[in-house]
Coordinates of all heavy atoms in Angstrom, one line a residue:
K177 N 56.2 97.2 129.9 CA 54.8 96.9 130.3 C 53.9 96.4 129.2 O 52.8 96.8 129.0 CB 54.1 98.2 130.9 CG 54.9 98.6 132.2 CD 54.2 99.8 132.9 CE 54.9 100.2 134.2 NZ 54.2 101.3 134.9
G178 N 54.5 95.5 128.4 CA 53.8 94.8 127.3 C 53.7 95.6 126.0 O 53.2 95.0 125.0
K179 N 54.3 96.8 125.9 CA 54.2 97.6 124.7 C 55.7 97.8 124.2 O 56.6 98.2 125.0 CB 53.6 98.9 125.0 CG 53.4 99.8 123.8 CD 52.7 101.1 124.3 CE 52.5 102.0 123.1 NZ 51.8 103.3 123.5
K180 N 55.9 97.6 122.9 CA 57.2 97.8 122.4 C 57.6 99.3 122.5 O 56.9 100.2 122.3 CB 57.2 97.4 120.9 CG 57.3 95.9 120.6 CD 57.7 95.6 119.2 CE 57.9 94.1 119.0 NZ 56.6 93.4 119.1
I181 N 58.9 99.4 122.9 CA 59.4 100.8 123.0 C 59.5 101.3 121.6 O 59.7 100.6 120.6 CB 60.7 100.9 123.8 CG1 61.8 100.0 123.1 CG2 60.5 100.5 125.2 CD1 63.2 100.2 123.6
G182 N 59.5 102.7 121.5 CA 59.5 103.3 120.1 C 58.4 104.2 119.9 O 58.4 105.0 119.0
S183 N 57.3 104.1 120.7 CA 56.2 105.0 120.6 C 55.8 105.6 121.9 O 54.7 106.3 122.0 CB 55.0 104.2 120.0 OG 54.6 103.2 120.9
I184 N 56.6 105.5 122.9 CA 56.2 106.0 124.2 C 56.9 107.4 124.5 O 56.3 108.3 124.9 CB 56.6 105.0 125.3 CG1 55.9 103.6 125.0 CG2 56.2 105.5 126.7 CD1 56.4 102.5 125.9
A185 N 58.2 107.4 124.3 CA 59.0 108.7 124.5 C 58.6 109.6 123.3 O 58.0 109.2 122.3 CB 60.5 108.4 124.5
H186 N 59.0 110.9 123.5 CA 58.7 111.9 122.4 C 59.4 111.5 121.1 O 58.9 111.6 120.0 CB 59.1 113.3 122.9 CG 58.4 113.8 124.1 ND1 59.0 114.0 125.3 CD2 57.1 114.1 124.3 CE1 58.1 114.4 126.2 NE2 56.9 114.5 125.6
M187 N 60.6 111.0 121.3 CA 61.4 110.5 120.2 C 62.2 109.3 120.7 O 62.7 109.3 121.9 CB 62.4 111.5 119.6 CG 61.7 112.6 118.8 SD 62.8 113.9 118.2 CE 63.0 114.9 119.7
T188 N 62.4 108.3 119.9 CA 63.2 107.1 120.2 C 64.2 106.8 119.1 O 63.8 106.8 118.0 CB 62.3 105.9 120.5 OG1 61.3 106.2 121.4 CG2 63.1 104.7 120.9
E189 N 65.4 106.6 119.5 CA 66.5 106.4 118.6 C 66.9 104.9 118.6 O 67.0 104.3 119.7 CB 67.7 107.2 118.9 CG 69.0 106.9 118.1 CD 69.9 105.9 118.8 OE1 69.8 105.7 120.0 OE2 70.8 105.3 118.1
F190 N 67.1 104.3 117.5 CA 67.6 102.9 117.4 C 68.8 102.9 116.5 O 69.0 103.7 115.6 CB 66.5 102.0 116.7 CG 65.3 101.8 117.6 CD1 64.1 102.5 117.2 CD2 65.2 101.0 118.7 CE1 63.0 102.4 118.0 CE2 64.1 100.8 119.4 CZ 62.9 101.6 119.1
S191 N 69.7 101.9 116.7 CA 70.9 101.8 115.9 C 70.9 100.5 115.2 O 70.3 99.5 115.7 CB 72.1 101.8 116.9 OG 73.3 101.4 116.2
F192 N 71.5 100.5 114.0 CA 71.6 99.3 113.2 C 73.0 98.9 112.8 O 73.3 98.3 111.8 CB 70.8 99.5 111.9 CG 69.3 99.9 112.1 CD1 68.9 101.1 111.6 CD2 68.5 99.1 112.9 CE1 67.6 101.5 111.9 CE2 67.2 99.5 113.1 CZ 66.7 100.7 112.6
H193 N 73.9 99.2 113.8 CA 75.3 98.7 113.7 C 75.3 97.2 113.7 O 74.4 96.5 114.2 CB 76.1 99.3 114.9 CG 77.5 98.9 114.9 ND1 78.0 97.7 115.4 CD2 78.6 99.6 114.6 CE1 79.3 97.7 115.3 NE2 79.7 98.8 114.8
P194 N 76.3 96.6 113.1 CA 76.3 95.1 112.9 C 76.1 94.3 114.2 O 75.6 93.2 114.2 CB 77.7 94.8 112.3 CG 77.9 96.0 111.5 CD 77.4 97.2 112.3
V195 N 76.5 94.8 115.4 CA 76.3 94.0 116.6 C 74.9 94.2 117.2 O 74.6 93.5 118.2 CB 77.4 94.4 117.7 CG1 78.8 94.0 117.2 CG2 77.3 95.8 118.1
K196 N 74.1 95.1 116.6 CA 72.8 95.3 117.2 C 71.8 94.2 116.7 O 72.2 93.2 116.0 CB 72.3 96.7 116.8 CG 73.1 97.8 117.3 CD 73.3 97.8 118.8 CE 73.8 99.1 119.3 NZ 75.0 99.7 118.7
H197 N 70.5 94.3 117.0 CA 69.5 93.3 116.8 C 69.3 93.0 115.3 O 69.2 91.9 114.9 CB 68.2 93.6 117.5 CG 68.3 93.7 119.0 ND1 68.8 94.8 119.6 CD2 68.1 92.7 119.9 CE1 68.8 94.5 120.9 NE2 68.4 93.3 121.1
I198 N 69.3 94.1 114.5 CA 69.3 93.9 113.1 C 70.3 94.9 112.6 O 70.7 95.9 113.3 CB 67.9 94.2 112.4 CG1 67.5 95.6 112.6 CG2 66.9 93.2 112.9 CD1 66.2 96.0 111.7
T199 N 70.8 94.7 111.3 CA 71.8 95.6 110.8 C 71.5 96.2 109.4 O 70.9 95.5 108.7 CB 73.2 95.0 110.8 OG1 74.2 95.9 110.5 CG2 73.3 93.8 109.8
T200 N 72.0 97.4 109.2 CA 72.0 98.0 107.9 C 73.5 98.3 107.5 O 73.7 99.0 106.6 CB 71.2 99.3 107.8 OG1 71.7 100.2 108.7 CG2 69.7 99.0 108.0
G201 N 74.4 97.6 108.2 CA 75.8 97.9 108.0 C 76.2 99.0 109.0 O 76.8 98.8 110.0
E202 N 75.8 100.2 108.7 CA 75.7 101.4 109.6 C 74.4 102.0 109.4 O 73.9 102.0 108.2 CB 76.8 102.4 109.3 CG 78.2 102.1 109.9 CD 78.3 102.4 111.3 OE1 77.3 102.7 112.0 OE2 79.5 102.3 111.8
G203 N 73.8 102.5 110.4 CA 72.5 103.1 110.2 C 71.8 103.4 111.5 O 72.1 102.8 112.6
G204 N 70.8 104.3 111.5 CA 70.0 104.6 112.7 C 68.7 105.1 112.2 O 68.4 105.3 111.1
I205 N 67.8 105.2 113.2 CA 66.4 105.7 112.9 C 65.9 106.4 114.2 O 66.3 106.1 115.3 CB 65.5 104.5 112.5 CG1 64.4 105.0 111.6 CG2 65.0 103.7 113.7 CD1 63.7 103.9 110.8
V206 N 65.0 107.4 113.9 CA 64.3 108.0 115.0 C 62.8 107.8 114.8 O 62.3 108.0 113.7 CB 64.5 109.5 115.1 CG1 63.8 110.1 116.3 CG2 66.0 109.8 115.2
T207 N 62.1 107.3 115.8 CA 60.6 107.1 115.7 C 59.9 108.1 116.6 O 60.5 108.5 117.6 CB 60.2 105.7 116.1 OG1 60.6 105.4 117.5 CG2 60.8 104.7 115.2
T208 N 58.8 108.6 116.2 CA 58.0 109.6 116.9 C 56.5 109.5 116.5 O 56.2 109.0 115.4 CB 58.6 111.0 116.7 OG1 57.9 111.9 117.5 CG2 58.4 111.4 115.2
N209 N 55.7 110.0 117.4 CA 54.3 110.2 117.0 C 53.9 111.6 116.8 O 52.7 111.9 116.5 CB 53.4 109.7 118.2 CG 53.4 108.2 118.3 OD1 53.5 107.4 117.4 ND2 53.4 107.7 119.6
D210 N 54.9 112.5 116.8 CA 54.7 113.9 116.7 C 55.0 114.4 115.2 O 56.2 114.3 114.8 CB 55.6 114.7 117.7 CG 55.3 116.2 117.7 OD1 55.3 116.8 116.7 OD2 55.1 116.7 118.8
E211 N 54.0 114.9 114.5 CA 54.2 115.3 113.1 C 55.3 116.4 113.0 O 56.1 116.4 112.0 CB 52.9 115.7 112.5 CG 53.0 115.9 111.0 CD 51.7 116.3 110.3 OE1 50.7 116.4 111.0 OE2 51.7 116.3 109.1
E212 N 55.2 117.4 113.9 CA 56.2 118.5 113.8 C 57.6 118.0 114.0 O 58.6 118.4 113.3 CB 55.8 119.6 114.8 CG 54.6 120.4 114.4 CD 54.7 121.0 113.0 OE1 55.7 121.7 112.8 OE2 53.8 120.8 112.2
L213 N 57.8 117.1 115.0 CA 59.1 116.5 115.2 C 59.6 115.8 113.9 O 60.7 115.8 113.5 CB 59.2 115.7 116.4 CG 59.0 116.4 117.8 CD1 58.9 115.3 118.9 CD2 60.2 117.3 118.0
Y214 N 58.7 115.0 113.3 CA 59.0 114.2 112.1 C 59.4 115.1 111.0 O 60.4 114.8 110.3 CB 57.7 113.5 111.7 CG 57.8 112.9 110.3 CD1 58.6 111.8 110.0 CD2 57.0 113.4 109.3 CE1 58.7 111.3 108.8 CE2 57.0 112.8 108.0 CZ 57.9 111.8 107.8 OH 58.0 111.2 106.5
K215 N 58.8 116.3 110.8 CA 59.2 117.2 109.7 C 60.6 117.8 110.0 O 61.4 117.9 109.1 CB 58.2 118.3 109.6 CG 56.8 117.9 109.0 CD 55.8 119.1 109.0 CE 54.5 118.6 108.4 NZ 53.5 119.8 108.4
K216 N 60.9 118.1 111.3 CA 62.2 118.6 111.6 C 63.3 117.6 111.4 O 64.4 117.9 110.9 CB 62.2 119.1 113.1 CG 61.3 120.4 113.3 CD 61.3 120.8 114.7 CE 60.4 122.0 114.9 NZ 60.4 122.4 116.4
L217 N 63.0 116.4 111.8 CA 64.0 115.3 111.6 C 64.3 115.0 110.1 O 65.4 114.9 109.7 CB 63.4 114.0 112.2 CG 63.3 113.9 113.8 CD1 62.4 112.8 114.2 CD2 64.6 113.8 114.4
S218 N 63.2 115.0 109.3 CA 63.4 114.8 107.9 C 64.2 115.9 107.3 O 65.0 115.6 106.4 CB 62.0 114.7 107.2 OG 61.2 113.7 107.8
L219 N 63.9 117.1 107.7 CA 64.7 118.3 107.1 C 66.2 118.2 107.5 O 67.0 118.5 106.7 CB 64.0 119.6 107.6 CG 64.4 120.9 106.9 CD1 63.8 120.9 105.5 CD2 63.8 122.1 107.7
F220 N 66.4 117.9 108.8 CA 67.8 117.9 109.3 C 68.7 116.9 108.6 O 69.9 117.2 108.4 CB 67.7 117.6 110.8 CG 69.0 117.8 111.5 CD1 69.5 119.0 111.7 CD2 69.7 116.7 112.0 CE1 70.7 119.2 112.4 CE2 70.9 116.9 112.7 CZ 71.4 118.1 112.9
R221 N 68.2 115.8 108.1 CA 69.1 114.8 107.5 C 69.5 115.1 106.1 O 70.3 114.5 105.5 CB 68.4 113.4 107.6 CG 67.3 113.2 106.6 CD 66.8 111.8 106.4 NE 65.5 111.8 105.8 CZ 64.8 110.7 105.7 NH1 65.2 109.6 106.2 NH2 63.6 110.8 105.0
T222 N 68.8 116.2 105.5 CA 69.1 116.5 104.1 C 69.5 118.0 104.0 O 69.0 118.8 103.3 CB 67.9 116.3 103.2 OG1 66.8 117.0 103.8 CG2 67.6 114.8 103.2
H223 N 70.5 118.4 104.9 CA 71.1 119.7 104.8 C 70.1 120.8 105.2 O 70.5 122.0 105.1 CB 71.6 120.1 103.4 CG 72.6 119.1 102.9 ND1 74.0 119.2 103.1 CD2 72.5 118.0 102.1 CE1 74.6 118.2 102.5 NE2 73.7 117.5 101.8
G224 N 69.0 120.5 105.7 CA 67.9 121.5 106.0 C 67.2 121.9 104.7 O 66.5 122.9 104.7
I225 N 67.4 121.1 103.6 CA 66.8 121.5 102.3 C 65.6 120.7 102.0 O 65.5 119.5 102.4 CB 67.9 121.2 101.2 CG1 69.0 122.2 101.3 CG2 67.3 121.2 99.8 CD1 70.2 121.9 100.4
T226 N 64.6 121.4 101.4 CA 63.3 120.7 101.1 C 62.8 121.1 99.7 O 63.1 122.2 99.2 CB 62.3 121.0 102.1 OG1 61.1 120.2 101.8 CG2 61.9 122.5 102.2

Side-chain angles (χ1 to χ4, degrees):
K177 296 185 178 179
K179 183 178 182 180
K180 281 193 177 66
I181 60 169
S183 65
I184 302 169
H186 299 114
M187 288 176 279
T188 305
E189 172 267 343
F190 297 100
S191 169
F192 306 120
H193 183 276
V195 296
K196 301 303 198 309
H197 295 84
I198 66 170
T199 187
T200 57
E202 280 280 9
I205 206 165
V206 184
T207 60
T208 184
N209 290 323
D210 187 308
E211 186 177 8
E212 288 304 309
L213 291 174
Y214 167 68
K215 289 178 180 178
K216 290 176 181 178
L217 293 163
S218 300
L219 196 66
F220 188 69
R221 72 168 167 191
T222 55
H223 303 274
I225 290 173
T226 185

